[in-house]
Amino acid sequence: MKDRIYIKDLKEHVGKEVTIAGWVNVRRNQGKMVFFDMRDMTGRVQCVALPSHADMIEQTKEIRLEWVLKIRGLVNKRPDKNINAEMVNGDIELEILKIEILSEAAPLPFDMSLDGYNLELTAELDNRSLILRQQKVQAIFKVQETIIDSFREFMKKNMFFEFQAPVITPATAEGGAEVFQVNYFDKKAYLTQSPQLYKQIVVSAFERCFSVNKIFRAEPSSTTRHLTEIVSLDAEMSFIDSWTDVRDMAEETVRFILKQVEKKNGEHLKLLNATVPVMLSKTPTLTLREVQQKIFERFDRDVRGDKDTNPQDEREICEIIKEETGSDFVFVYGYPTRKKPFYVYPNAEEPEYNEGMDLLCRGIEWLSGGRRINDYNQLMKHVEIWKMDPEKIKMFMEAFKYGVPPEGGFALGAERMTMQLLGLKNIREAAMFPRDMNRIDERLGNEGY
Ligand code: ATP
Ligand code: MG
């Protein structure tokens, strides 16, 4: 549409005739005049049919919410008493001269005009295509766009090479049952749970790599923080001296993303009433055993000796660290070696604990990573102990046979981060088209959220 002006630019055209195009957002009849707001991807503006244009008043009477219009109008300053300083374009309005109807809309199933109108999440997802038109919902995905863009930007700045990880895999990287099997001609294959093994192969050739890719987890339960299809922000780096190099890179990556969100999404954060979590110049780092001791001392709950943290532990340690240091983030490392995947590096002094780590924030895990085993023989030993079939990961093992430097990496879930950064209650709000046990666009079951 060549003659179209975006709504955000209207203020530069005061006193002039322009053409805008968009959706009818809110409609008000007021005595002799008709008002409605028009919305395009850049903003909103109030349009008015004045009594001096009787034909326009007549035409606007039939117009309904969400109709798509092209409007020719005159950009006027609003009378002083009608100025709304809080709103973009709150000091101007468009006097309607001509309306072309581009598309009509059926009557709406609920009141869309109340901005930020909150349906129950189940109903929101049942009406996804309409709900996506709401400003607050769009704000969530604009923040998510920044998260993913900034991850990519930071990686490239640090000489990480972007590669495309495959989705169809012959074996599972993480082990466990949470995997979708697919019929692959007359054979079995799996949807990837993680690009882990491919990252490590790529690192053996490119030194540093990252990928932004879909991963799939057949999560059998319906929690507020798990989906079955997510965007994984994955990084892997070699020539490290210690797992702490990986931790520091993960920390700086998250710090950069947070800064970019603050810089680029100020209006969205405001709209969603969200504040970016506090990251200190050095995020506190604790071993799993220290975490368990702290929980014992502070909450008198004995989880010492547990092999991993559970959701309550994660909430409690975040609360303790926040109180003690002001940090919203905490790194936890040193998990029991046998409880984690075969490729995680065991600590040299205490081989029963590994150099795997998690980054927690606001009570939930955001990121996992750590150092990996790079020595072929040690890796092969683990393959045996973990009872894996070396044939199934032949390509991976082959890379390590021919020299791989000390290396490690991490993975961050884009939806998890979006949810936690924005303080959303359910991860489904942070996925445009969420997949879970009960939903693939259409409902598979009757459970609500
Ligand atoms: P959790 O313990 O929270 O179930 P995990 O340890 O199984 O997560 P990892 O394999 O460590 O997950 O994956 C790395 C990151 O990917 C997680 O820290 C999280 O941000 C994200 N993630 C993993 N699984 C899911 C999922 N099912 N839904 C949403 N995000 C996920
Ligand atoms: Mg994890």
Short mmCIF file of all heavy atoms in Angstrom, two decimals, residues 12-18 73-76 94:
data_model
loop_
_atom_site.label_atom_id
_atom_site.label_comp_id
_atom_site.label_asym_id
_atom_site.label_seq_id
_atom_site.Cartn_x
_atom_site.Cartn_y
_atom_site.Cartn_z
N GLU A 12 3.77 13.73 12.69
CA GLU A 12 4.58 14.54 11.76
C GLU A 12 3.72 15.12 10.64
O GLU A 12 4.24 15.82 9.76
CB GLU A 12 5.69 13.68 11.13
CG GLU A 12 6.74 13.24 12.12
CD GLU A 12 7.50 12.01 11.64
OE1 GLU A 12 7.58 11.81 10.40
OE2 GLU A 12 7.97 11.25 12.51
N HIS A 13 2.44 14.80 10.64
CA HIS A 13 1.57 15.22 9.53
C HIS A 13 0.40 16.09 9.99
O HIS A 13 -0.63 16.13 9.32
CB HIS A 13 1.04 13.99 8.79
CG HIS A 13 2.13 13.16 8.17
ND1 HIS A 13 2.55 13.36 6.87
CD2 HIS A 13 2.91 12.19 8.67
CE1 HIS A 13 3.53 12.50 6.61
NE2 HIS A 13 3.76 11.79 7.69
N VAL A 14 0.56 16.74 11.14
CA VAL A 14 -0.54 17.56 11.66
C VAL A 14 -0.92 18.63 10.63
O VAL A 14 -0.04 19.28 10.05
CB VAL A 14 -0.13 18.22 13.01
CG1 VAL A 14 -1.21 19.20 13.48
CG2 VAL A 14 0.10 17.14 14.07
N GLY A 15 -2.22 18.74 10.39
CA GLY A 15 -2.71 19.74 9.43
C GLY A 15 -2.77 19.19 8.01
O GLY A 15 -3.21 19.87 7.09
N LYS A 16 -2.32 17.93 7.82
CA LYS A 16 -2.29 17.39 6.45
C LYS A 16 -3.28 16.23 6.30
O LYS A 16 -3.67 15.59 7.28
CB LYS A 16 -0.89 16.86 6.13
CG LYS A 16 0.15 17.97 6.12
CD LYS A 16 1.42 17.46 5.47
CE LYS A 16 2.53 18.47 5.68
NZ LYS A 16 3.68 17.91 6.38
N GLU A 17 -3.61 15.97 5.06
CA GLU A 17 -4.45 14.81 4.75
C GLU A 17 -3.57 13.60 4.53
O GLU A 17 -2.57 13.68 3.79
CB GLU A 17 -5.21 15.09 3.44
CG GLU A 17 -6.67 15.39 3.65
CD GLU A 17 -7.42 15.52 2.31
OE1 GLU A 17 -7.44 14.54 1.52
OE2 GLU A 17 -7.94 16.61 2.10
N VAL A 18 -3.93 12.48 5.16
CA VAL A 18 -3.11 11.26 5.02
C VAL A 18 -4.02 10.04 4.86
O VAL A 18 -5.23 10.12 5.10
CB VAL A 18 -2.23 11.01 6.26
CG1 VAL A 18 -1.20 12.10 6.46
CG2 VAL A 18 -3.09 10.85 7.51
N GLY A 73 -7.88 10.78 5.93
CA GLY A 73 -8.33 11.72 6.96
C GLY A 73 -7.37 12.88 7.13
O GLY A 73 -6.28 12.91 6.54
N LEU A 74 -7.81 13.81 7.97
CA LEU A 74 -7.03 15.01 8.24
C LEU A 74 -6.49 14.90 9.67
O LEU A 74 -7.25 14.66 10.61
CB LEU A 74 -7.97 16.22 8.12
CG LEU A 74 -7.36 17.60 8.27
CD1 LEU A 74 -6.34 17.89 7.16
CD2 LEU A 74 -8.49 18.66 8.21
N VAL A 75 -5.17 15.05 9.81
CA VAL A 75 -4.57 14.96 11.15
C VAL A 75 -4.77 16.29 11.87
O VAL A 75 -4.25 17.32 11.43
CB VAL A 75 -3.07 14.61 11.06
CG1 VAL A 75 -2.48 14.37 12.45
CG2 VAL A 75 -2.82 13.42 10.15
N ASN A 76 -5.54 16.25 12.94
CA ASN A 76 -5.82 17.47 13.72
C ASN A 76 -5.20 17.40 15.09
O ASN A 76 -5.10 16.32 15.67
CB ASN A 76 -7.33 17.65 13.92
CG ASN A 76 -8.04 17.99 12.62
OD1 ASN A 76 -7.45 18.61 11.72
ND2 ASN A 76 -9.30 17.57 12.50
N LEU A 94 -7.62 11.82 14.03
CA LEU A 94 -7.77 11.82 12.58
C LEU A 94 -9.22 12.10 12.23
O LEU A 94 -10.11 11.33 12.62
CB LEU A 94 -7.33 10.46 12.01
CG LEU A 94 -7.15 10.41 10.50
CD1 LEU A 94 -5.89 11.16 10.08
CD2 LEU A 94 -7.07 8.95 10.02
#
